[in-house]
């Protein structure tokens, strides 16, 4: 499903963000990526959706070798994965409904199917009643629900999330985690960078800890393992 | 691309116009200012060109034939002139006709020339028009060398001055064009700079969600087209009203022989069409330029 082989990433300014990573994530897994700030978690995640290319090594996602995908083909690759971010990344001029529908419009789905499916996923994340609202009219938690709905609307095999609860209060974070658990239960692979200690310690899943660009720990049902 | 996707792009482009409220306003204003300048300039240039054309059209070579030439000689000269390069028309005007024309032209004063009808002092004349008015001087010089040519007239002195005036006017036109293009680009690139931050995020997100560059470009392309057309409305209205009135009230006051404005009726439509096309091109160009940077190709 996802595989990294001897991956290294040095940014143009000389910062070595990932320094030799080998990892395999199997279909249906739920993986936390933890580590101190600046450890390389986001870089690790970004390489999975081909936002960054490794300086050396190879990354396979859904059988595709990401470093060899041309820039112009990157959007096509991303249609098969869902992405969720700390800052939601919603189109500010689009309503909740339109934000989710957009992901289906780009793959030229039938309007009828779009309508049906968008309402379905909005219902799943519990925000159907606010479909017509703009992101600016929604709370952080509600915006993240819209973003999650968008990430799963095309039934991707993998959902990748970078600190999805980073901007949310604890209670809202738990609600969001319930949705992620639900998605994972349906068979979707989930990779999530986080430094939410409570969540990692309570919803026990595989934990990959990164420090200074290297995997220092990889446990089947791990703990967060850091103070704060 | 499926047809419904194209429809979607149209719908999206209209929505964007509304959604991006003040951005739309800023872009339309930039196009409006540019097109107003371009429009005024077009009106000036096209009329100037029209007047210059009128004046040039009147330029002709008159070759006076010596009385010693017989019918055959005259015919031979006519043939020789016709065979020269760049000749548009050659008309033979016998001296009787020349005298009649002269008497007619002078009106009442013409009576004084009546007695000459018995003993015409004028000459037979070939009236030559060249394809390009600027060739007149060259042609005249050549004809001067032919046999039985008494004299060649083409408005010596006057024609040279006229041509240099027309050339200067046209060069000023070119300078104005270049100046305006720079103004337009400056205005539009400034507007783009203002809008760039909002668009960058938008495009980044679209790419994240799987939109190809073509898919992203379409609504922007159409949006630019609408902005350009919207921006053309005010300049077209302004120029139509002003020119219509100028033509209606100012034209009758002008008494110089060649100074004649282009008739309002087809001219206003032509200028409008040109302005819409320029507006569309500027709008599309500006819009696509603003996304180009963020479409990592
Ligand atoms: N675009 C970039 N250009 C240069 N350096 C970067 C860039 N992104 C991240 N870095 C650096 O790479 C290291 C890892 O960053 P990041 O992957 O964001 O870590 P984390 O998400 O674990 O906080 C940090 O030292 C950071 O400053
Ligand atoms: Mg990070």
């Amino acid at each position: 499903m996802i595989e990294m082989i001897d991956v290294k990433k040095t940014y143009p300014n000389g910062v070595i963000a990932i320094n030799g990573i080998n990892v395999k994530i199997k279909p249906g897994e739920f993986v936390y990526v933890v580590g101190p700030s600046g450890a390389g978690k986001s870089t690790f995640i970004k390489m999975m959706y081909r936002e960054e290319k490794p300086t050396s090594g190879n990354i396979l996602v859904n059988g595709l070798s990401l470093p060899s995908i041309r820039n112009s083909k990157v959007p096509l690759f991303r249609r098969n994965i869902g992405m969720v971010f700390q800052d939601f990344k919603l189109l500010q001029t689009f309503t909740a409904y339109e934000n989710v529908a957009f992901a289906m419009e780009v793959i030229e789905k039938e309007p009828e199917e779009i309508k049906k499916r968008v309402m379905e996923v909005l219902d799943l994340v519990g925000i159907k009643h606010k479909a017509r609202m703009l992101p600016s009219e929604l709370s952080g938690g509600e915006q993240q629900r819209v973003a999650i709905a968008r990430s799963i609307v095309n039934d991707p095999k993998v959902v990748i999330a970078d600190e999805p609860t980073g901007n949310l209060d604890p209670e809202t974070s738990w609600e969001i985690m319930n949705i992620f658990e639900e998605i994972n239960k349906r068979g979707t692979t989930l990779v999530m960078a986080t430094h939410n200690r409570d969540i990692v310690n309570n919803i026990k899943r595989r934990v990959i800890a990164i420090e200074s660009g290297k995997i220092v720990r990889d446990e089947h049902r791990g703990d967060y393992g850091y103070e704060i | 691309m499926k047809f419904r996707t194209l429809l979607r792009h149209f719908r999206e482009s209209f929505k964007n116009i509304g959604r991006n409220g003040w951005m739309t306003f800023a872009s339309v204003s930039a196009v409006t200012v540019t097109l107003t300048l371009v429009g005024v300039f077009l009106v000036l240039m096209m009329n100037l060109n029209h007047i210059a054309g009128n004046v040039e059209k009147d330029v002709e070579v008159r070759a006076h034939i010596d009385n010693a030439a017989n019918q055959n000689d005259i015919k031979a000269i006519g043939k020789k002139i016709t065979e020269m390069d760049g000749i548009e028309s050659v008309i033979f005007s016998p001296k009787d006709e020349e005298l009649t024309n002269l008497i007619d032209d002078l009106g009442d004063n013409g009576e004084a020339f009546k007695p000459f009808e018995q003993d015409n002092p004028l000459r037979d004349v070939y009236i030559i028009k060249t394809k390009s008015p600027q060739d007149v001087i060259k042609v005249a010089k050549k004809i001067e060398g032919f046999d039985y040519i008494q004299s060649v007239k083409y408005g010596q002195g006057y024609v040279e001055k006229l041509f240099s005036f027309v050339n200067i006017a046209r060069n000023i036109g070119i300078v104005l064009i270049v100046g305006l293009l720079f103004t337009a680009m400056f205005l539009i690139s400034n507007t783009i700079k203002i809008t760039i931050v909002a668009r960058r995020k938008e495009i980044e997100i679209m790419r994240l969600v799987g939109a190809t560059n073509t898919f992203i470009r379409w609504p922007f392309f159409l949006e630019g087209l609408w902005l350009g057309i919207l921006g053309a409305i005010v300049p077209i209205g302004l120029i139509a009203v002003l020119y219509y009135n100028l033509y209606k009230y100012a034209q009758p006051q002008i008494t110089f022989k060649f100074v004649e404005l282009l008739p309002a009726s087809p001219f206003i439509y032509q200028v409008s069409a040109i302005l819409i096309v320029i507006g569309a091109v500027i709008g599309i160009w500006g819009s696509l330029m603003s996304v180009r940077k963020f479409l990592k190709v």
Side-chain angles (χ1 to χ4, degrees):
Chain A
M1 174 89 346
I2 299 173
E3 187 173 1
M4 292 201 182
I5 304 150
D6 291 332
V7 169
K8 291 187 181 169
K9 171 69 185 178
T10 309
Y11 282 110
N13 62 359
V15 173
I16 300 167
I18 296 294
N19 194 6
I21 280 189
N22 284 285
V23 75
K24 253 188 198 172
I25 296 169
K26 290 197 285 291
E29 268 196 282
F30 185 152
V31 182
Y32 292 115
V33 180
V34 301
S37 179
K41 303 183 295 293
S42 291
T43 306
F44 179 75
I45 295 275
K46 279 179 181 168
M47 288 192 295
M48 286 183 190
Y49 63 89
R50 185 47 176 72
E51 182 67 15
E52 295 290 351
K53 271 198 214 184
T55 317
S56 66
N58 198 5
I59 302 172
L60 299 163
V61 176
N62 295 334
L64 275 171
S65 168
L66 300 196
S68 53
I69 299 178
R70 279 213 315 259
N71 276 339
S72 61
K73 300 288 177 210
V74 167
L76 300 179
F77 153 71
R78 288 181 183 158
R79 290 172 182 185
N80 300 310
I81 53 175
M83 282 163 294
V84 180
F85 303 92
Q86 181 171 1
D87 59 354
F88 323 128
K89 295 209 191 296
L90 297 175
L91 295 164
Q92 292 302 310
T93 54
F94 284 44
T95 63
Y97 176 92
E98 288 167 341
N99 265 287
V100 179
F102 185 79
M104 291 185 85
E105 284 169 358
V106 299
I107 54 174
E108 306 199 292
K109 288 282 187 194
E110 299 277 348
E112 289 309 309
E113 193 188 340
I114 293 179
K115 217 177 277 173
K116 196 167 146 273
R117 176 66 182 154
V118 171
M119 290 320 279
E120 201 177 291
V121 288
L122 284 177
D123 196 23
L124 183 81
V125 300
I127 200 149
K128 196 174 161 188
H129 57 295
K130 297 201 169 169
R132 290 171 164 277
M133 295 205 177
L134 291 171
S136 56
E137 297 165 332
L138 299 173
S139 72
E142 290 168 336
Q143 290 185 61
Q144 196 59 297
R145 286 165 195 263
V146 176
I148 293 170
R150 180 181 63 187
S151 77
I152 58 167
V153 74
N154 290 323
D155 271 325
K157 292 198 193 80
V158 187
V159 170
I160 298 166
D162 192 356
E163 313 233 11
T165 60
N167 276 346
L168 307 176
D169 59 63
E171 200 181 324
T172 314
S173 298
W174 280 111
E175 289 166 16
I176 293 298
M177 284 315 297
N178 287 339
I179 298 170
F180 275 126
E181 271 199 283
E182 182 62 33
I183 292 168
N184 176 244
K185 262 187 210 148
R186 295 174 180 210
T188 309
T189 313
L190 186 65
V191 181
M192 178 175 146
T194 186
H195 46 226
N196 190 320
R197 189 165 177 272
D198 277 350
I199 286 172
V200 177
N201 287 343
N202 281 287
I203 305 173
K204 292 259 182 178
R205 293 297 142 96
R206 179 175 173 188
V207 173
I208 295 175
I210 297 181
E211 284 175 36
S212 306
K214 284 191 165 157
I215 294 183
V216 293
R217 182 157 58 92
D218 186 347
E219 294 169 337
H220 181 51
R221 286 170 69 83
D223 277 321
Y224 183 68
Y226 298 96
E227 292 311 312
I228 302 168
Chain B
M1 183 172 56
K2 288 182 180 161
F3 180 67
R4 68 161 171 272
T5 305
L6 187 64
L7 283 184
R8 181 247 168 226
H9 291 321
F10 268 87
R11 237 182 302 121
E12 201 54 38
S13 70
F14 289 129
K15 277 197 215 157
N16 274 342
I17 300 261
R19 284 198 280 233
N20 297 327
W22 74 269
M23 229 161 78
T24 299
F25 177 76
S27 314
V28 170
S29 306
V31 177
T32 299
V33 171
T34 306
L35 288 188
T36 305
L37 291 172
V38 170
V40 168
F41 159 78
L42 263 181
V43 168
L44 289 177
M45 269 315 287
M46 287 171 81
N47 274 293
L48 190 66
N49 211 36
H50 176 66
I51 293 166
N54 274 349
V55 176
E56 283 184 343
K57 239 189 291 167
D58 251 50
V59 173
E60 59 190 20
V61 179
R62 297 173 64 86
H64 299 253
I65 299 158
D66 202 297
N67 280 338
N70 62 30
Q71 286 308 105
N72 284 341
D73 295 332
I74 292 172
K75 271 199 194 127
I77 293 169
K79 190 158 176 287
K80 236 170 132 184
I81 294 172
T82 314
E83 282 165 359
M84 288 169 71
D85 286 338
I87 302 296
E88 168 134 338
S89 68
V90 181
I91 295 163
F92 180 67
S93 173
K95 54 185 167 187
D96 298 344
E97 199 179 304
E98 287 290 297
L99 186 62
T100 321
N101 287 346
L102 183 64
I103 292 168
D104 286 352
D105 278 356
L106 292 174
D108 292 343
N109 299 331
E111 295 296 317
F113 287 87
K114 283 269 182 189
F116 287 117
E117 276 172 3
Q118 304 314 313
D119 182 18
N120 190 344
L122 299 180
R123 302 280 190 271
D124 293 331
V125 173
Y126 273 116
I127 301 164
I128 301 127
K129 293 227 165 176
T130 51
K131 282 192 184 123
S132 155
Q134 316 253 352
D135 280 348
V136 156
I137 300 167
K138 209 173 64 199
V139 167
K141 288 264 150 61
K142 264 202 198 142
I143 296 176
E144 257 174 356
F146 291 179
D147 289 338
Y148 300 112
I149 295 292
Q150 192 216 18
S151 67
V152 177
K153 298 221 164 67
Y154 62 89
Q156 282 91 333
Y158 159 74
V159 162
E160 282 88 348
K161 270 190 206 131
L162 171 74
F163 286 159
S164 72
F165 169 75
V166 168
N167 283 338
I168 288 169
R170 282 186 181 144
N171 285 335
I172 289 174
I174 291 167
V175 170
L176 278 177
I177 286 183
V178 174
L180 266 173
L181 283 181
F182 275 110
T183 314
M185 292 206 272
F186 174 77
L187 281 172
I188 288 156
S189 68
N190 259 0
T191 314
I192 291 168
K193 262 183 219 153
I194 299 166
T195 62
I196 234 156
V197 181
R199 304 235 131 152
R200 152 181 246 135
K201 276 193 110 176
E202 198 174 317
I203 292 161
E204 214 179 81
I205 294 169
M206 289 177 172
R207 281 178 58 89
L208 278 177
V209 187
T212 57
N213 289 345
T214 314
F215 191 95
I216 293 170
R217 265 195 212 106
W218 262 100
F220 279 97
F221 169 84
L222 293 171
E223 195 185 328
L225 179 65
W226 310 142
L227 292 180
I229 292 174
L230 283 177
I233 291 174
V234 170
I236 286 176
L238 209 66
I239 284 166
V241 170
L242 288 181
Y243 193 78
Y244 177 79
N245 286 299
L246 180 76
Y247 187 72
K248 194 166 158 198
Y249 297 110
Q251 175 69 40
Q253 316 289 325
I254 303 170
T255 48
F256 298 110
K257 185 175 167 210
F258 301 112
V259 181
E260 172 193 284
L261 297 176
L262 286 156
S265 168
F267 182 62
I268 288 176
Y269 297 115
Q270 288 161 357
V271 171
S272 303
I274 295 173
L275 289 184
I276 286 189
V277 170
I278 297 178
V281 170
I282 291 177
I284 291 169
W285 177 81
S287 192
L288 289 184
M289 282 302 287
S290 73
V291 286
R292 204 185 58 139
K293 272 189 135 164
F294 310 122
L295 301 171
K296 302 177 188 166
V297 270

